[in-house]
Amino acid sequence: MSVIAAGVDLCDMRRIERVIEQFGDRFLNRVFSPTERARADRRSGQARIGAYAKRWAAKEACAKALGTGFAQGVAQSQIGVANLPSGQPTLVLTGAALLRLQQIMPTGQVPHLVLSMTDEHPYAFAEVIISGRPA
Protein backbone atom coordinates (compact mmCIF):
# COMPACT_ATOMS: atom_id res chain seq x y z
CA MET A 1 0.00 0.00 0.00
CA SER A 2 1.32 3.44 -0.88
CA VAL A 3 0.24 6.86 0.37
CA ILE A 4 -1.06 8.99 -2.48
CA ALA A 5 -2.10 12.15 -0.61
CA ALA A 6 -3.06 13.56 2.78
CA GLY A 7 -5.06 16.53 3.99
CA VAL A 8 -5.83 18.07 7.37
CA ASP A 9 -8.19 20.76 8.60
CA LEU A 10 -8.75 22.59 11.87
CA CYS A 11 -12.20 24.13 12.27
CA ASP A 12 -13.42 26.63 14.86
CA MET A 13 -16.66 25.16 16.20
CA ARG A 14 -17.92 28.64 17.08
CA ARG A 15 -17.83 29.57 13.39
CA ILE A 16 -19.95 26.56 12.44
CA GLU A 17 -22.37 27.38 15.26
CA ARG A 18 -22.76 30.97 13.98
CA VAL A 19 -23.39 29.79 10.41
CA ILE A 20 -26.01 27.28 11.59
CA GLU A 21 -27.70 30.00 13.67
CA GLN A 22 -27.69 32.40 10.74
CA PHE A 23 -28.64 30.09 7.85
CA GLY A 24 -30.15 27.01 9.55
CA ASP A 25 -31.48 24.30 7.26
CA ARG A 26 -30.38 26.18 4.14
CA PHE A 27 -26.73 25.69 5.15
CA LEU A 28 -27.18 22.22 6.64
CA ASN A 29 -28.99 20.85 3.58
CA ARG A 30 -26.45 22.32 1.17
CA VAL A 31 -23.39 20.95 2.96
CA PHE A 32 -24.39 17.81 4.86
CA SER A 33 -26.03 14.57 3.73
CA PRO A 34 -29.19 13.27 5.41
CA THR A 35 -27.03 10.62 7.12
CA GLU A 36 -24.61 13.24 8.47
CA ARG A 37 -27.48 15.41 9.67
CA ALA A 38 -29.23 12.52 11.41
CA ARG A 39 -26.03 11.56 13.25
CA ALA A 40 -25.35 15.14 14.38
CA ASP A 41 -28.96 15.89 15.29
CA ARG A 42 -29.12 12.92 17.69
CA ARG A 43 -26.91 15.07 19.92
CA SER A 44 -27.64 18.40 21.56
CA GLY A 45 -25.73 21.52 22.52
CA GLN A 46 -21.98 21.52 21.96
CA ALA A 47 -21.96 17.82 21.06
CA ARG A 48 -24.25 18.59 18.10
CA ILE A 49 -22.09 21.51 16.98
CA GLY A 50 -18.97 19.36 17.41
CA ALA A 51 -20.46 16.63 15.20
CA TYR A 52 -21.12 19.15 12.43
CA ALA A 53 -17.74 20.85 12.85
CA LYS A 54 -15.85 17.54 12.65
CA ARG A 55 -17.68 16.65 9.45
CA TRP A 56 -16.97 20.10 8.02
CA ALA A 57 -13.28 19.62 8.83
CA ALA A 58 -13.36 16.14 7.24
CA LYS A 59 -14.79 17.56 4.01
CA GLU A 60 -12.11 20.28 3.96
CA ALA A 61 -9.31 17.79 4.68
CA CYS A 62 -10.56 15.47 1.93
CA ALA A 63 -10.74 18.31 -0.62
CA LYS A 64 -7.15 19.21 0.26
CA ALA A 65 -6.04 15.59 -0.13
CA LEU A 66 -7.75 15.46 -3.52
CA GLY A 67 -5.64 18.48 -4.51
CA THR A 68 -8.61 20.55 -5.65
CA GLY A 69 -10.02 22.25 -2.61
CA PHE A 70 -13.60 23.19 -3.39
CA ALA A 71 -12.96 23.91 -7.06
CA GLN A 72 -12.96 21.97 -10.33
CA GLY A 73 -16.52 20.88 -9.58
CA VAL A 74 -15.73 19.42 -6.14
CA ALA A 75 -18.32 20.48 -3.54
CA GLN A 76 -18.90 19.78 0.15
CA SER A 77 -22.04 17.82 -0.66
CA GLN A 78 -19.96 15.33 -2.72
CA ILE A 79 -17.84 14.37 0.29
CA GLY A 80 -19.83 12.51 2.90
CA VAL A 81 -18.85 11.14 6.28
CA ALA A 82 -20.40 7.79 7.12
CA ASN A 83 -19.73 5.36 9.92
CA LEU A 84 -18.90 1.69 9.61
CA PRO A 85 -20.81 -0.73 11.87
CA SER A 86 -17.87 -0.48 14.30
CA GLY A 87 -18.45 3.28 14.54
CA GLN A 88 -15.24 4.10 12.65
CA PRO A 89 -15.74 7.10 10.37
CA THR A 90 -15.15 6.74 6.65
CA LEU A 91 -15.66 8.86 3.56
CA VAL A 92 -18.16 8.40 0.74
CA LEU A 93 -17.34 10.38 -2.40
CA THR A 94 -19.66 11.14 -5.32
CA GLY A 95 -19.63 13.31 -8.43
CA ALA A 96 -16.52 15.35 -9.20
CA ALA A 97 -14.91 14.35 -5.88
CA LEU A 98 -15.09 10.66 -6.82
CA LEU A 99 -13.85 11.41 -10.34
CA ARG A 100 -10.86 13.30 -8.93
CA LEU A 101 -10.09 10.41 -6.57
CA GLN A 102 -10.08 8.03 -9.53
CA GLN A 103 -7.81 10.40 -11.49
CA ILE A 104 -5.11 10.56 -8.81
CA MET A 105 -4.93 6.78 -8.33
CA PRO A 106 -1.96 5.07 -9.98
CA THR A 107 -2.76 2.45 -12.59
CA GLY A 108 -3.49 -0.92 -11.06
CA GLN A 109 -4.41 0.47 -7.63
CA VAL A 110 -7.72 1.04 -5.88
CA PRO A 111 -8.24 3.82 -3.36
CA HIS A 112 -8.32 3.35 0.39
CA LEU A 113 -9.36 6.40 2.43
CA VAL A 114 -8.63 6.76 6.13
CA LEU A 115 -10.41 9.45 8.14
CA SER A 116 -9.68 10.53 11.69
CA MET A 117 -11.71 13.25 13.44
CA THR A 118 -11.70 14.77 16.90
CA ASP A 119 -12.99 17.82 18.68
CA GLU A 120 -12.11 19.70 21.84
CA HIS A 121 -14.12 22.87 22.23
CA PRO A 122 -13.67 25.25 20.51
CA TYR A 123 -11.90 23.28 17.77
CA ALA A 124 -12.60 20.30 15.54
CA PHE A 125 -9.86 18.54 13.59
CA ALA A 126 -9.85 16.01 10.77
CA GLU A 127 -7.15 14.18 8.85
CA VAL A 128 -7.61 12.25 5.60
CA ILE A 129 -5.07 9.88 4.12
CA ILE A 130 -5.57 8.52 0.63
CA SER A 131 -3.58 5.40 -0.16
CA GLY A 132 -3.57 2.90 -2.96
CA ARG A 133 -3.91 -0.86 -2.72
CA PRO A 134 -3.26 -3.35 -5.52
CA ALA A 135 -6.41 -3.88 -7.61
Side-chain angles (χ1 to χ4, degrees), residues 9-13 49-50 52-55 57 118-126:
D9 190 69
L10 180 67
C11 174
D12 189 325
M13 294 166 59
I49 299 303
Y52 278 121
K54 285 187 289 193
R55 281 152 184 78
T118 190
D119 66 291
E120 180 68 38
H121 192 271
Y123 299 107
F125 176 83

Side-chain angles (χ1 to χ4, degrees), residues 22-111:
Q22 183 175 3
F23 297 104
D25 284 340
R26 187 169 141 222
F27 167 73
L28 295 172
N29 289 329
R30 182 175 55 85
V31 174
F32 300 100
S33 72
T35 301
E36 291 171 310
R37 291 193 64 189
R39 186 165 184 96
D41 288 342
R42 283 196 300 265
R43 293 160 175 75
S44 61
Q46 286 305 310
R48 177 177 177 264
I49 299 303
Y52 278 121
K54 285 187 289 193
R55 281 152 184 78
W56 175 272
K59 292 167 186 281
E60 291 275 350
C62 183
K64 291 172 184 175
L66 291 172
T68 60
F70 292 113
Q72 300 178 30
V74 175
Q76 290 97 339
S77 61
Q78 299 170 351
I79 302 169
V81 177
N83 291 83
L84 300 174
S86 66
Q88 177 185 358
T90 189
L91 292 164
V92 178
L93 277 55
T94 60
L98 178 58
L99 179 61
R100 177 62 181 164
L101 176 63
Q102 294 166 342
Q103 290 171 342
I104 65 173
M105 293 309 302
T107 302
Q109 293 193 14
V110 295

